[in-house]
Amino acid sequence: MTDRLVVVGGGVIGLSAAWTAARDGWRVTVLDPAPCSGASWVAGGMLAPVTETWPGEEALLDLGTESVRRWPEFAARLSAAAGRDAGLRTEGTVVAATGSGDRTELDTLAGHLDRLGRPVERLAGRALRRLEPALGPDVRGGLSVPDDLAVDNRMLLDALRAAVSAAGVRLEERAVAAVRDDGTRVLGVTDTAGVETDADAVLVAAGAHSSSLHPVLDGLVRPVKGEILRLAHRAGAMPPPSRTVRALVDGRPVYAVPRSAPGHDLVLGATTSENGFDTTVTVGGVRDLLRDAERVLPGIAEYALVETTAGLRPGSRDNLPLVGALGPEGLVVATGHGRNGILLAPLTADAVGALLRGEPVPDPVRAAAAGRFAPAVSLTGGQRA
Amino acid sequence: MTDRLVVVGGGVIGLSAAWTAARDGWRVTVLDPAPCSGASWVAGGMLAPVTETWPGEEALLDLGTESVRRWPEFAARLSAAAGRDAGLRTEGTVVAATGSGDRTELDTLAGHLDRLGRPVERLAGRALRRLEPALGPDVRGGLSVPDDLAVDNRMLLDALRAAVSAAGVRLEERAVAAVRDDGTRVLGVTDTAGVETDADAVLVAAGAHSSSLHPVLDGLVRPVKGEILRLAHRAGAMPPPSRTVRALVDGRPVYAVPRSAPGHDLVLGATTSENGFDTTVTVGGVRDLLRDAERVLPGIAEYALVETTAGLRPGSRDNLPLVGALGPEGLVVATGHGRNGILLAPLTADAVGALLRGEPVPDPVRAAAAGRFAPAVSLTGGQRA
């Protein structure tokens, strides 16, 4: 009999892993009350490990670099399996600074990348505007990072849904309340209606909702709200940039990710706040995003504001994801990806596939081992997990 | 046989007039492709002739004053007929000024009202904040105008729909293409599918869409776009004001109208632009409204932004509405109300009722006679309409 895998969570991480596991021969069921929604739906879709990094976050940079390297092949295989474009954009990324403090900060980032042996191209404001004429006169300088990519997260979700379906994965619209185990091995899950689903292995990929699903996950992931706006270009307005534009505006980060799909020509993000499972879009959040994005891309004043949304990033304690076996035998987790879930999806799916086959995970994923926060047990018995 | 009236337009003006005519014994059919939508749905719902006025607009002030005087009885009758609250709020209005130029402008308005024998109370910033603690420290002074009221336009639409239904009015979701006549009298209307509806009288109350319905209306009404935001109070945030707050912020007008209904606690408006029948909500419009409203009511930063919409005000050439008989016998128009459609609904409905009965309109409505822009005919034949 084929082994049964239940995946809790039908976002980008859960579906990517489900697709991998199904191709490895698992009989996969994905449970999610609203598949393809949540943070995966709200996201901006940047695949930008270099322009996201900061001194002290080298392990995350290694993870992101390895995953972005896998993205083109992942997207090509996914597009072929789904029979539709997975939405990858390879135009690259520019980073723009406005005030002098912002330029100093970008210099720090560039110097840090130099020391890591990953030099980036520094450009004056005028050179940056030659690359992206949509950048306004307040942009005084920045960086060009052609290897930081982007993906249309909604095209990606559509492709993943089609690919898992073609691979025989069952997608059921049910909310899981808890992972069941017998103290040693996982037995399956129980949904919020009390219905049990048996499984030989369970993957928890429920994003910000993961912590409540099993006691070993308690407190490991918290919701970090992000507000995002979607704009549509209007006739007569300045065309959107062709690259992802990241910027610092008086110390506040803002980004604008262009889309190929009509109607959502530019995605602006993202605020960061922590207020539990609240997904309200606030006046202050919208005001900040519009003000800062207009400083960098003044032509967007004429764009249509077509969508305001907020999602909950799954935040971990150290900003690295949690990918690995944890607790009872057969339980695997893939959560805590913070703002990097879509970037890290191909590498996470490969790591989950390896874990389910009993093989070692790709090297950079070892820093994300799910057990790294396990409490030390008493000195008189047992041992450190 | 009862006389048949076709009303073109199922907004506040059309439904108010239809309700009046039905009570007068007309057999009324209202045609609208989407009743209770458009500018009536988008509107802020201010009933504020005094704080809206400006030197040179005395005829409009007279119209508004007479209509707001009729509002409480109109609302009471409507609520009784509909079996539901029509949404009138009688807390009054304050006007707030920020910069010194804004205070000078309010002084001009107050002086103008003094000379008209309609004195308003001038208040310093501190006194204004005692009335409305939500006003921020940038408010330096203003006016209190208790007789300028407000109505929840969506509660009003719900009540009008119920009342016309109870009065036997037929409401059909069809778009009218043209008013038909035989050169002397109206015959009815033709819808966009070519279906004809016969009538003894036709009321054109199609707002910004009125101009194309008959040659005599050509060029008399144009669409004037207004963008509006709806906010919801969140736990822990400053409560919304109890009165309508109008303000001038560096010369730009902005208003905030509180709502009783939960979920839309505050309506912020409104931008003004002319770009044909475009109802796009723009980045620049939202940015302006949020920035200016926050200067006056800083606590709204914590509110949820729950809706962004744009409507098309029916603008006339002189900012007065067009209410009266025009062209072929049996054609009555009630349009061109600009930003004052909801304010002027009771008076307009009374005027239309009088016109349909062959009686004179209420005095202030004479300035709004629909024929005032009729072209002078050739000097050799005919006469001025």
Side-chain angles (χ1 to χ4, degrees):
Chain A
M1 203 184 78
T2 314
D3 284 342
R4 300 158 303 176
L5 171 68
V6 161
V7 177
V8 186
V12 165
I13 294 290
L15 293 176
S16 299
W19 182 46
T20 300
R23 287 177 297 156
D24 279 352
W26 288 81
R27 189 143 51 92
V28 184
T29 302
V30 176
L31 299 181
D32 192 315
C36 301
S37 67
S40 295
W41 176 256
V42 171
M46 284 188 296
L47 311 175
V50 170
T51 53
E52 179 91 291
T53 199
W54 200 243
E57 299 199 325
E58 288 74 16
L60 187 57
L61 176 61
D62 287 344
L63 274 168
T65 305
E66 179 56 27
S67 200
V68 80
R69 194 184 66 74
R70 296 179 187 219
W71 247 101
E73 189 191 329
F74 175 80
R77 289 182 70 174
L78 180 60
S79 299
R84 58 195 308 155
D85 184 358
L88 183 66
R89 284 191 67 140
T90 55
E91 288 86 347
T93 297
V94 296
V95 191
T98 52
S100 64
D102 302 325
R103 277 177 285 165
T104 303
E105 198 134 335
L106 280 201
D107 283 342
T108 303
L109 172 61
H112 172 62
L113 290 164
D114 279 349
R115 282 186 298 278
L116 292 178
R118 302 164 178 271
V120 292
E121 188 184 6
R122 304 183 202 204
L123 293 171
R126 188 177 297 190
L128 217 50
R129 273 187 292 278
R130 267 198 297 275
L131 284 182
E132 291 295 349
L135 293 171
D138 284 358
V139 171
R140 304 291 167 76
L143 313 173
S144 172
V145 184
D147 293 339
D148 269 6
L149 311 179
V151 64
D152 183 323
N153 54 308
R154 296 181 181 177
M155 291 175 70
L156 171 64
L157 285 166
D158 285 348
L160 280 169
R161 193 192 272 265
V164 300
S165 171
V169 172
R170 290 174 58 92
L171 186 53
E172 298 184 8
E173 299 194 1
R174 293 194 281 141
V176 170
V179 176
R180 287 182 300 123
D181 68 81
D182 62 7
T184 306
R185 279 201 58 82
V186 290
L187 300 172
V189 299
T190 308
D191 72 17
T192 50
V195 177
E196 299 190 343
T197 303
D198 296 333
D200 303 294
V202 172
L203 172 66
V204 172
H209 302 276
S210 299
S211 263
S212 61
L213 296 172
H214 192 280
V216 295
L217 282 160
D218 189 32
L220 293 187
V221 179
R222 69 189 194 285
V224 180
K225 184 167 92 169
E227 294 157 301
I228 280 196
L229 311 178
R230 283 174 158 80
L231 314 187
H233 178 258
R234 290 166 73 220
M238 168 74 88
S242 60
R243 296 164 183 79
T244 296
V245 174
R246 308 189 67 148
L248 284 172
V249 179
D250 301 335
R252 294 179 301 270
V254 67
Y255 62 76
V257 190
R259 288 287 187 256
S260 314
H264 293 126
D265 300 285
L266 205 57
V267 181
L268 301 186
T271 62
T272 299
S273 62
E274 302 201 24
N275 188 28
F277 286 91
D278 164 54
T279 54
T280 307
V281 176
T282 64
V283 163
V286 174
R287 169 250 290 153
D288 281 350
L289 290 172
L290 293 183
R291 180 195 53 209
D292 293 342
E294 274 196 81
R295 278 280 297 281
V296 181
L297 300 165
I300 64 170
E302 300 302 319
Y303 283 38
L305 175 61
V306 291
E307 191 186 300
T308 63
T309 41
L312 299 171
R313 310 177 188 94
S316 74
R317 293 185 199 162
D318 59 4
N319 288 335
L320 284 173
L322 296 148
V323 180
L326 189 67
E329 211 177 322
L331 178 60
V332 178
V333 306
T335 184
H337 291 80
R339 52 202 305 141
N340 298 298
I342 294 182
L343 164 63
L344 297 178
L347 182 60
T348 301
D350 288 345
V352 170
L355 289 161
L356 291 172
R357 291 188 302 268
E359 297 171 4
V361 297
D363 260 0
V365 181
R366 289 190 298 177
R372 68 187 183 278
F373 301 114
V377 293
S378 81
L379 292 172
T380 54
Q383 55 187 105
R384 197 177 280 265
Chain B
M1 202 184 78
T2 314
D3 284 342
R4 300 158 302 176
L5 170 68
V6 161
V7 176
V8 187
V12 166
I13 295 290
L15 294 176
S16 299
W19 182 47
T20 299
R23 286 177 297 156
D24 278 353
W26 287 81
R27 188 144 50 92
V28 185
T29 302
V30 176
L31 299 181
D32 192 314
C36 302
S37 67
S40 295
W41 175 256
V42 171
M46 283 188 295
L47 311 174
V50 170
T51 53
E52 180 89 79
T53 199
W54 200 242
E57 299 199 324
E58 288 74 14
L60 186 57
L61 176 60
D62 287 344
L63 274 169
T65 305
E66 179 55 28
S67 200
V68 80
R69 195 184 66 76
R70 296 178 187 219
W71 247 102
E73 188 191 329
F74 175 79
R77 289 182 69 174
L78 181 60
S79 299
R84 57 194 309 156
D85 184 358
L88 183 66
R89 285 190 65 140
T90 55
E91 288 86 346
T93 297
V94 295
V95 192
T98 52
S100 64
D102 303 324
R103 277 177 285 166
T104 303
E105 199 135 333
L106 280 202
D107 284 341
T108 303
L109 172 61
H112 172 62
L113 290 164
D114 279 348
R115 283 186 298 279
L116 292 177
R118 302 165 179 272
V120 291
E121 187 184 7
R122 304 183 202 202
L123 293 172
R126 188 177 298 191
L128 218 50
R129 273 188 290 278
R130 265 198 297 275
L131 284 181
E132 291 295 349
L135 294 170
D138 284 358
V139 171
R140 302 293 167 76
L143 312 173
S144 171
V145 185
D147 293 339
D148 269 6
L149 312 179
V151 64
D152 182 322
N153 55 308
R154 296 181 180 176
M155 291 174 72
L156 172 64
L157 284 166
D158 285 347
L160 280 168
R161 193 192 272 265
V164 300
S165 171
V169 172
R170 289 175 57 93
L171 185 53
E172 297 184 8
E173 298 195 1
R174 293 194 281 140
V176 170
V179 176
R180 286 182 299 123
D181 67 82
D182 62 8
T184 306
R185 281 201 57 82
V186 290
L187 301 172
V189 298
T190 307
D191 72 18
T192 50
V195 177
E196 299 190 344
T197 303
D198 296 334
D200 303 294
V202 172
L203 171 66
V204 171
H209 302 276
S210 298
S211 263
S212 61
L213 295 173
H214 192 281
V216 295
L217 283 160
D218 189 32
L220 293 187
V221 179
R222 68 190 196 285
V224 181
K225 183 167 92 169
E227 294 157 301
I228 280 195
L229 311 178
R230 282 174 158 80
L231 314 187
H233 177 258
R234 288 166 74 221
M238 168 74 88
S242 60
R243 295 164 184 79
T244 296
V245 174
R246 308 189 67 146
L248 283 171
V249 178
D250 302 335
R252 294 179 303 269
V254 66
Y255 62 75
V257 191
R259 288 286 187 256
S260 314
H264 293 127
D265 299 285
L266 204 58
V267 181
L268 300 186
T271 62
T272 300
S273 62
E274 302 202 23
N275 188 27
F277 286 92
D278 163 54
T279 53
T280 307
V281 176
T282 64
V283 163
V286 175
R287 169 250 290 154
D288 281 350
L289 290 172
L290 293 183
R291 179 196 53 209
D292 293 343
E294 274 197 81
R295 278 281 296 282
V296 181
L297 300 165
I300 64 170
E302 300 302 318
Y303 282 38
L305 175 61
V306 292
E307 192 185 300
T308 63
T309 40
L312 299 171
R313 310 176 188 94
S316 74
R317 294 186 200 162
D318 59 3
N319 289 334
L320 284 173
L322 296 149
V323 181
L326 188 66
E329 210 177 321
L331 177 59
V332 177
V333 305
T335 184
H337 291 80
R339 51 203 306 140
N340 299 297
I342 295 182
L343 164 63
L344 297 177
L347 182 60
T348 301
D350 289 345
V352 170
L355 288 160
L356 292 172
R357 290 189 303 267
E359 297 171 5
V361 297
D363 261 359
V365 182
R366 290 191 299 178
R372 69 187 182 277
F373 301 115
V377 294
S378 80
L379 293 171
T380 53
Q383 55 186 106
R384 198 176 280 265

